[in-house]
């Protein structure tokens, strides 16, 4: 298979994944917004490429406009992929490993995808976390609990990126952490950045100042909690079952 054929195959499989999730979602507009944010594309850029008013995209995402049909969803998905391709295709290629492999399973303790996002402040409250760095707050569409030592010692940079699941707008929760510095170093050298990082096993005043500095540079929200890890996972899963977007 040539490189062009391989790239087209990745694109086609990703388009099917995106379109299927949006179409089958109970809230297609919210799913559409999630994917647009995943690709880091502004509403104005997407609407400009589609040659429609920005309010059209806004209305679909907010639910003010009737849910888009399969044809419109396909056009929007194709536009997202086209715009990313014009930017170099970085986001598309970051999903390649997720399409063909189990995402970093040897380092993952738990992973979960949200239908409706959770806000950073609510996340901090639920897991009784200290806010070390506020960063740029984004809606979080999932979380992954990671064995910090295994992730850093055993995963390649390509495998590390698979920890994001299907959305970079998620909380990466690192366990078995001594200072909090190593996870932030690992994140600094990868192309993708999470919506938030949670250091498990430390209070806020125990996190290494260098970890906080790196979070500030990358503008990533950084939290710290000592909640029992099984309780933490259970709390976050239960929240998604009983709450919709606030």
């Amino acid at each position: 298979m040539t490189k062009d054929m391989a790239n087209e195959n990745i694109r086609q499989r990703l388009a099917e994944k995106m379109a299927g999730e949006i179409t089958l979602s109970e809230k297609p507009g919210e799913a559409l917004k999630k994917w647009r944010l995943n690709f880091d594309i502004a509403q104005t850029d997407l609407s400009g490429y589609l040659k429609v008013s920005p309010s059209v995209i806004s209305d679909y995402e907010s639910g003010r406009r009737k849910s888009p049909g399969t044809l419109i969803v396909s056009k929007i998905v194709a536009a997202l992929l086209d715009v990313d391709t014009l930017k170099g295709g970085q986001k598309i290629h970051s999903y390649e490993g997720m399409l063909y492999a189990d995402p970093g399973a040897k380092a993952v303790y738990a992973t979960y995808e949200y239908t409706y996002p959770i806000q950073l402040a609510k996340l901090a409250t639920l897991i009784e976390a200290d806010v070390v760095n506020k960063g740029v707050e984004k809606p979080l569409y999932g979380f992954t609990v990671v064995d910090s030592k295994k992730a850093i010692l055993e995963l390649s940079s390509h495998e590390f990126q698979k920890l994001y699941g299907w959305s970079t707008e998620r909380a990466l929760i690192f366990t078995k952490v001594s200072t909090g510095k190593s996870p932030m170093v690992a994140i600094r050298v990868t192309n993708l950045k999470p919506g938030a990082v949670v250091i498990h096993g430390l209070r806020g005043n125990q996190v290494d100042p260098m970890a906080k500095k790196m979070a500030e540079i990358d503008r990533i929200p950084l939290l710290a909690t000592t909640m029992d890890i099984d309780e933490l996972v259970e709390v976050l899963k239960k929240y998604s079952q009983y709450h919709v977007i606030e």
Side-chain angles (χ1 to χ4, degrees), residues 24-206:
L24 297 175
S25 173
E26 293 181 4
K27 294 221 171 185
E30 195 60 53
L32 171 59
K33 180 179 180 180
K34 183 189 84 169
W35 281 107
R36 180 179 61 76
L37 292 175
N38 283 354
F39 278 84
D40 196 23
I41 296 173
Q43 286 183 346
T44 51
D45 291 338
L46 178 58
S47 62
Y49 188 85
L50 289 167
K51 293 181 172 56
V52 299
S53 168
S55 64
V56 172
I57 304 300
S58 176
D59 287 348
Y60 276 136
E61 291 185 352
S62 66
R64 289 190 298 268
R65 183 182 287 256
K66 182 181 176 181
S67 296
T70 55
L71 180 59
I72 294 177
V73 168
S74 296
K75 288 182 178 180
I76 293 175
V77 167
L80 289 171
L81 297 174
D82 286 347
V83 172
D84 184 66
T85 299
L86 292 172
K87 292 180 177 180
Q90 179 178 313
K91 298 290 186 180
I92 292 175
H93 289 296
S94 71
Y95 283 112
E96 180 178 359
M98 302 172 201
L99 289 166
Y100 293 102
D102 188 12
K106 56 188 174 182
V108 173
Y109 177 80
T111 187
Y112 201 80
E113 306 291 333
Y114 286 144
T115 302
Y116 311 110
I118 184 173
Q119 303 303 316
L120 183 69
K122 177 58 70 174
L123 173 70
T125 298
L126 288 174
I127 65 174
E128 301 172 2
D130 298 326
V131 179
V132 180
N133 181 60
K134 190 173 182 180
V136 177
E137 295 188 34
K138 301 177 181 179
L140 304 172
Y141 287 89
F143 67 87
T144 304
V145 181
V146 184
D147 183 314
S148 179
K149 292 180 180 179
K150 285 186 178 180
I152 294 167
L153 294 176
E154 299 179 17
L155 299 185
S156 67
S157 59
H158 181 66
E159 290 174 321
F160 190 89
Q161 291 189 133
K162 298 177 188 176
L163 298 176
Y164 292 98
W166 287 106
S167 175
T168 55
E169 307 303 333
R170 71 194 302 106
L172 289 187
I173 304 170
F174 289 93
T175 66
K176 301 180 181 179
V177 175
S178 56
T179 67
K181 186 166 64 174
S182 294
M184 295 309 301
V185 170
I187 289 170
R188 283 231 75 202
V189 298
T190 60
N191 292 325
L192 301 178
K193 307 300 179 187
V197 171
V198 179
I199 301 300
H200 179 263
L202 301 176
R203 296 310 320 180
N205 59 7
Q206 297 174 307

